[in-house]
Amino acid sequence: MAEAVVRELRASFTAGRTRPVEWRAAQLTALVRMIEEKEADISAALQADLAKPHMESYLHEISLAKASCKFSLKGMKSWTKPEKVPSAITTFPSTAQIVPEPLGVVLIISAWNYPFLLSIDPVIGAIAAGNAVVLKPSEIAPATSSLFAKLLPEYVDNSCIKVVEGGVDETTDLLEQKWDKIFYTGNGTIGRIVMAAAAKHLTPVALELGGKCPVIVDSDVDLHVAVKRIVVGKWGCNNGQACIAPDYIITTKSFAPELVDSLKRVIKRFYGEDPLQSADMSRIVNSKHFNRLTSLVEDKKVADKIVYGGQTDEKQLKIAPTLLLDVPLDTALMTGEIFGPYLPIVTVEKIEDSIDFINSKTKPLAAYLFTKNKKLQDNFVTNVPAGGMLVNDVALHLTNPHLPFGGVGESGMGSYHGKFSFDCFTHKKAVLIRGFGGEATARYPPYTQEKQKILRGLINGSFIALILALLGFPREKR
């Protein structure tokens, strides 16, 4: 099946169907219409897959997808124009330009935690860039996957944009095909499989992965504001099942008790005395992930570090917001990405020590700092390698379409959002155009000392050498 799908899409692309800006605009306009007309269906699918609250679905998925479409529609015409660049003296007279061209037929493999946004956002970029696209939604979010399979053919050109549903077998079949780019969102384990499959065809990849996103909290902050932002950025983002959600906090030993007390108060205020009954919190996606998460705190040396929360409801697949203090660093909770509602707090003697702690780990997808200290902020921005970072808030950097979103090192490669999505699926073709004038005889054999002198001068930017070359010195013997 996958082979036939690729063959059909490649025929459409080769025929030039996806190249006109008008075609691209028509598809993106149709996607805006789909999002507006089917908002209730999208929200219902997210509720079915994750018990995601409607407000969260709208803010974090539906509105961002619509904004992404509109941003691309507004900028696409200018993005697709050739960019004139200066010519070098060595090629005078000539004109030079960079021509953006679509890569071809691309595969997008999406994730389950934000199954609508993380599917449609890269598709928007691929369409804007003029590619034919296969979307493989995550089978772990089946309601959203089937919604895409139903809706996209109703709204966009099915000869160029297709949805392939399925699990491991179908994904494996897709990965065996030759693509012009593969865009994958998920974890590092599958990311390595995707990259290995792509390598067989020398296919470029964009990998949007994750990691342990740290949050440094200095003692000089507006604590109530900082804590509200951390809480909504952790548990208000799919109950911690988000690649950019805070994975752990670092603060000083002396400030930790005050921070913990504030976190408890805000969690209780946002999600009530019994957070398992809160309608404002997503559930864990399935029993496999529920069991993975609960196993992280089964170890007594971890369980003893819980200072708040920890309640679970296996029937509802819900885990309450859980705070832990100074968990042993060699435990699974502290070595792997949590991707759930546990928030460990690591303490250090001095807040400056937190930067060395972060840098002793793999590079995170996002890093956060809460402080009023400009020196600490500058140190953090300069010396912490991360996919992206945010000072005095959490997660909001991804809402700015003028910023690239992506990882570095084990948190991923490649970036997207806004024009970066267009660039992700575009080849920047170098084009140099010359006429038949401006012949420099010095470039042709047989080479002489005189020719070498002129060429050296030309390469070094000598105006005299340029004049001599254009005048045809040294004179050719005919």
Side-chain angles (χ1 to χ4, degrees):
M1 177 192 170
E3 186 178 353
V5 167
V6 175
R7 194 185 311 116
E8 182 186 346
L9 292 186
R10 201 164 290 287
S12 295
F13 179 77
T14 303
R17 189 170 178 83
T18 65
R19 285 180 177 265
V21 173
E22 294 77 14
W23 179 90
R24 308 180 198 190
Q27 308 314 304
L28 296 181
T29 302
L31 287 179
V32 171
R33 199 172 77 253
M34 180 188 84
I35 293 166
E36 290 174 345
E37 293 174 358
K38 302 297 181 180
E39 181 182 328
D41 294 339
I42 296 164
S43 191
L46 294 171
Q47 174 68 30
D49 286 331
L50 292 151
K52 192 169 281 193
H54 176 70
M55 178 64 80
E56 194 178 322
S57 295
Y58 178 75
L59 288 176
H60 298 170
E61 301 212 45
I62 296 166
S63 70
L64 291 179
K66 185 176 171 182
S68 180
C69 276
K70 290 189 169 182
F71 189 86
S72 290
L73 279 165
K74 186 177 180 182
M76 189 172 55
K77 196 169 182 181
S78 64
W79 301 344
T80 55
K81 287 180 178 176
E83 176 191 352
K84 290 184 178 179
V85 294
S87 293
I89 190 171
T90 50
T91 63
F92 181 86
S94 65
T95 60
Q97 56 185 346
I98 300 168
V99 178
E101 66 177 8
L103 293 174
V105 181
V106 302
L107 171 64
I108 294 166
I109 305 174
S110 186
W112 54 262
N113 57 327
Y114 286 81
F116 184 73
L117 179 67
L118 297 183
S119 295
I120 205 68
D121 212 358
V123 168
I124 291 164
I127 291 170
N131 297 278
V133 190
V134 168
L135 169 64
K136 166 58 184 68
S138 174
E139 70 279 12
I140 298 174
T144 308
S145 177
S146 62
L147 186 70
F148 272 120
K150 175 178 177 288
L151 290 185
L152 280 185
E154 294 178 10
Y155 283 87
V156 295
D157 185 346
N158 195 44
S159 71
C160 303
I161 303 159
K162 290 189 179 293
V163 178
V164 174
E165 288 194 281
V168 174
D169 290 344
E170 288 77 10
T171 306
T172 302
D173 194 15
L174 287 168
L175 287 173
E176 287 173 356
Q177 311 307 313
K178 178 171 174 52
W179 304 92
D180 296 298
K181 186 151 193 178
I182 300 174
F183 187 105
Y184 167 75
T185 304
N187 62 61
T189 302
I190 306 301
R192 287 171 170 82
I193 294 170
V194 170
M195 201 167 180
K200 293 176 185 175
H201 300 288
L202 292 180
T203 298
V205 298
L207 302 178
E208 299 295 331
L209 308 177
K212 295 184 76 64
C213 299
V215 184
I216 302 172
V217 182
D218 199 0
S219 58
D220 67 352
V221 298
D222 183 327
L223 186 57
H224 184 59
V225 172
V227 165
K228 284 194 297 181
R229 292 175 181 180
I230 292 168
V231 169
V232 81
K234 174 70 171 181
W235 295 285
C237 284
N238 204 25
N239 202 4
Q241 299 169 109
C243 55
I244 53 163
D247 191 274
Y248 63 96
I249 290 175
I250 313 174
T251 194
T252 58
K253 282 182 169 60
S254 58
F255 190 61
E258 191 178 346
L259 175 60
V260 169
D261 286 345
S262 185
L263 283 164
K264 289 178 181 177
R265 285 195 300 272
V266 172
I267 292 169
K268 195 176 291 186
R269 178 181 159 198
F270 284 4
Y271 302 111
E273 292 288 343
D274 184 2
L276 296 178
Q277 302 306 315
S278 173
D280 294 322
M281 188 179 295
S282 301
R283 63 167 168 80
I284 306 306
V285 66
N286 59 26
S287 57
K288 178 184 174 184
H289 284 273
F290 181 91
N291 293 331
R292 176 189 67 80
L293 285 164
T294 53
S295 70
L296 293 175
V297 296
E298 284 175 352
D299 188 335
K300 189 175 186 301
K301 62 184 180 181
V302 177
D304 287 349
K305 299 296 183 178
I306 294 175
V307 293
Y308 184 78
Q311 308 96 313
T312 63
D313 184 334
E314 190 169 3
K315 189 175 179 182
Q316 286 193 83
L317 294 178
K318 284 204 169 184
I319 300 174
T322 303
L323 303 172
L324 305 95
L325 186 62
D326 284 326
V327 176
L329 299 179
D330 60 351
T331 58
L333 190 79
M334 296 307 298
T335 55
E337 184 179 10
I338 295 168
F339 219 70
Y342 303 130
L343 186 59
I345 299 166
V346 175
T347 61
V348 291
E349 292 297 331
K350 297 181 300 179
I351 199 67
E352 291 76 13
D353 297 338
S354 57
I355 289 177
D356 288 336
F357 183 88
I358 293 169
N359 290 343
S360 69
K361 314 293 181 186
T362 58
K363 298 170 184 176
L365 180 61
Y368 305 111
L369 167 68
F370 286 86
T371 188
K372 293 179 180 177
N373 184 331
K374 183 67 165 60
K375 186 178 177 183
L376 178 64
Q377 177 183 312
D378 291 344
N379 189 9
F380 174 76
V381 171
T382 303
N383 296 313
V384 173
M389 51 179 45
L390 183 51
V391 177
N392 294 328
D393 214 320
V394 171
L396 288 182
H397 60 298
L398 70 80
T399 66
N400 184 339
H402 301 283
L403 289 174
F405 180 76
V408 58
E410 291 197 22
S411 60
M413 61 181 71
S415 59
Y416 72 127
H417 287 187
K419 185 176 183 291
F420 301 99
S421 294
F422 175 88
D423 293 339
C424 181
F425 294 100
T426 297
H427 169 61
K428 299 295 184 72
K429 184 165 64 180
V431 178
L432 185 73
I433 299 171
R434 301 195 73 206
F436 290 99
E439 270 296 84
T441 58
R443 69 183 282 203
Y444 302 118
Y447 297 119
T448 63
Q449 286 297 112
E450 194 177 0
K451 284 183 176 181
Q452 186 178 129
K453 186 178 178 182
I454 289 174
L455 287 174
R456 280 178 177 269
L458 195 59
I459 289 167
N460 290 325
S462 165
F463 183 71
I464 294 172
L466 173 63
I467 296 299
L468 289 172
L470 290 175
L471 290 174
F473 285 93
R475 299 293 186 184
E476 281 187 316
K477 291 179 182 178
R478 294 188 180 270

